Amino acid sequence: MQIDGKSRLIGLMGNPVEHTLSPVIHNEISRQMNISSVYMPFRVENDLVENAVRGAYALNVLGLNVTVPHKNAVMDYLVDVDDAAMHIGSVNTLVRDEGKQGYKGYNTDMLGLQRQIHDYGISLSGQTVVVIGAGGAAKAVVYMCLLEGANKVYILNRTLSKADEIVRAMSLVKQIHSSTSIIALNITDVSAIKEDSVIAFQATSIGLYPNVNEVAIDSPAFYEKVKTGVDLIYTPANTMFMKLVREHGGRAYNSLKMLLYQGVAAYELWHNITVPQDIVENIYDTLQQKVYTNYVLIGFMGSGKTTFGKALAKELGMDFLDTDEYIEKKEGKSIPQIFDAHGESGFREIETQTLHQLKGHIHNTVIATGGGMPLRDENRVLLKEIGTVCYLTATSEEIYDRIKDDTNRPLLQTDNPYERICTMMYDRKPHYLAACDKIIDTGSNDVKKIIEEIVG
Ligand code: NAP
């Protein structure tokens, strides 16, 4: 994409903005559609919101996204506000209006969530919906429920007065759009929900990384009712709320797509275009790779790839995959049987095929690899393409101690396994070093410390 005299500036105002994913979304759309506009984040202090809006207009900025904490405050400095944003009471997108010499405000969070649920085939029409939370995002969810014709909406919140406030704010919308009944409840009052089958939206900040094991409602009786659960959180990819919904037989989704679609909706408003779906899907893949990095654990057998890998996955709310188990399942044979049938080189070939299958299709996962995986040049490249590669190390004595009683290791079936371990570790070390991004000593067996080193 070329920047020239006709290029346009778009961007984000908020505080902080340093960790935003929005530049990825917008600059990728511009690049893939060959549109010369550039997206920049701007950190704006609370007392400078008005200056920022007026300054942006003066500088011919095409449009802006607005994020925390300015989504309400910015409304005072706009020449117009779209109906939905007015009812929701927050604006996250400013669109330049040359006629009125200023910006019109929209709420594309709501549009983003609406597109996400349509993508997932979720219909709210005639349904009972439970919204957990009563902040800005919950208000957008309730508004969407009215537009989509839900039959009844329960709003459950820790602070009941905020749920009551949403009921009041939506009464005008109800007069115009729907006959949906809305009921405010205290978050502990789940027994007041009488329906057996509901669609639930988790719109609190509970469960966000790093507090991945927390959940706003933990009553099993509640999850029995949830046939579909949508968590507005997208990190971790599988929140505790989603896990509980699935454990009780429901389907569950995170809201990374909502983030993407709110950006797409803003881009479409600014440029007066429709972004083709194949480009949206490309960008979703890019986002998933950025947000849901994999950790790939390599190292000699007994270095702790499975033990520490499982602990890491649990701590971070990630999935866990063991390549040996994956191969055994795929081939329908145990590792010793594969060695017997195809020899070591045949097994290494299957490992390479496995990495090709996983690449690009696995996200948010801790992957424990077989000890010989990095021996092939091709595998070392693939491992780095799949995720952050951590080489787990321990001394030969520690390794021997950990695996001496394990009979499922074909390469150790010799008279002197300790000597074999020493030789193999010596031979393999250069390959591990060439394959890795980080070296982690697991000799301490201190799970917390090892996890910190892997993530840090
Ligand atoms: P907000 O306005 O600050 O509201 C926070 C909500 O969480 C309130 O209902 C609050 O209850 C509740 N809450 C916080 N801590 C709690 C606790 N310890 N116990 C019980 N309830 C608690 O935030 P928001 O803007 O609505 O955002 C809510 C969530 O949606 C966030 O996790 C955010 O990341 C997510 N979100 C996602 C997207 C997306 O694109 N995917 C977009 C927007 C928001 P009280 O009222 O009692 O304080």
Side-chain angles (χ1 to χ4, degrees), residues 68 71-72 92 108-110 112-113 116 132-141 155-163 166 187 202-208 214-217 231-235 254-262:
V68 179
K71 286 182 175 188
N72 305 102
N92 80 324
T108 67
D109 281 336
M110 195 279 294
L113 181 59
Q116 166 176 284
I132 309 165
K139 214 166 170 187
V141 178
I155 308 169
L156 273 69
N157 198 43
R158 175 181 60 177
T159 313
L160 182 59
S161 59
K162 286 202 203 160
I166 298 186
I187 198 158
Q202 199 301 117
T204 74
S205 39
I206 301 177
L208 256 180
E214 292 177 9
V215 71
I217 297 176
D231 201 325
L232 266 65
I233 289 174
Y234 55 84
T235 48
N254 69 38
S255 290
L256 184 63
K257 277 199 175 176
M258 172 183 175
L259 176 81
L260 169 61
Y261 278 127
Q262 63 74 31

Side-chain angles (χ1 to χ4, degrees), residues 187-252:
I187 198 158
T188 52
D189 204 5
V190 289
S191 60
I193 301 168
K194 296 297 173 212
E195 290 76 3
D196 290 332
S197 173
V198 303
I199 299 172
F201 289 87
Q202 199 301 117
T204 74
S205 39
I206 301 177
L208 256 180
Y209 177 81
N211 303 315
V212 297
N213 293 317
E214 292 177 9
V215 71
I217 297 176
D218 56 12
S219 146
F222 171 71
Y223 290 98
E224 288 292 336
K225 295 172 184 286
V226 181
K227 65 172 179 187
T228 303
V230 178
D231 201 325
L232 266 65
I233 289 174
Y234 55 84
T235 48
N238 291 304
T239 62
M240 186 52 78
F241 168 79
M242 292 166 63
K243 286 180 189 162
L244 289 170
V245 170
R246 287 184 185 136
E247 274 171 22
H248 290 82
R251 45 181 192 149

Side-chain angles (χ1 to χ4, degrees), residues 25 27 71 100 112 137 179 410 422:
I25 299 171
N27 290 326
K71 286 182 175 188
K100 293 185 179 164
S179 55
C422 293

Side-chain angles (χ1 to χ4, degrees), residues 20-21 24 256 284-293 363:
T20 177
L21 288 164
V24 177
L256 184 63
Y284 187 58
D285 286 344
T286 309
L287 271 185
Q288 288 199 89
Q289 274 161 32
K290 278 213 166 291
V291 180
Y292 306 136
T293 355
H363 304 290

Side-chain angles (χ1 to χ4, degrees), residues 81-192:
V81 176
D82 160 74
D83 271 358
M86 188 63 92
H87 289 300
I88 296 165
S90 91
V91 156
N92 80 324
T93 299
L94 309 187
V95 178
R96 194 173 177 85
D97 183 332
E98 297 293 349
K100 293 185 179 164
Q101 303 260 305
Y103 291 101
K104 177 171 178 177
Y106 291 84
N107 187 307
T108 67
D109 281 336
M110 195 279 294
L111 296 171
L113 181 59
Q114 200 173 22
R115 284 203 202 178
Q116 166 176 284
I117 65 164
H118 291 166
D119 253 21
Y120 289 138
I122 303 169
S123 166
L124 302 184
S125 174
Q127 302 293 316
T128 300
V129 178
V130 176
V131 180
I132 309 165
K139 214 166 170 187
V141 178
V142 176
Y143 185 82
M144 177 188 72
C145 291
L146 301 192
L147 290 193
E148 295 277 310
N151 180 43
K152 191 188 268 187
V153 178
Y154 292 98
I155 308 169
L156 273 69
N157 198 43
R158 175 181 60 177
T159 313
L160 182 59
S161 59
K162 286 202 203 160
D164 283 330
E165 172 48 34
I166 298 186
V167 175
R168 262 193 304 280
M170 293 297 152
S171 60
L172 183 64
V173 185
K174 274 177 51 177
Q175 284 166 25
I176 306 166
H177 287 291
S178 84
S179 55
T180 310
S181 58
I182 314 177
I183 298 157
L185 293 175
N186 195 295
I187 198 158
T188 52
D189 204 5
V190 289
S191 60

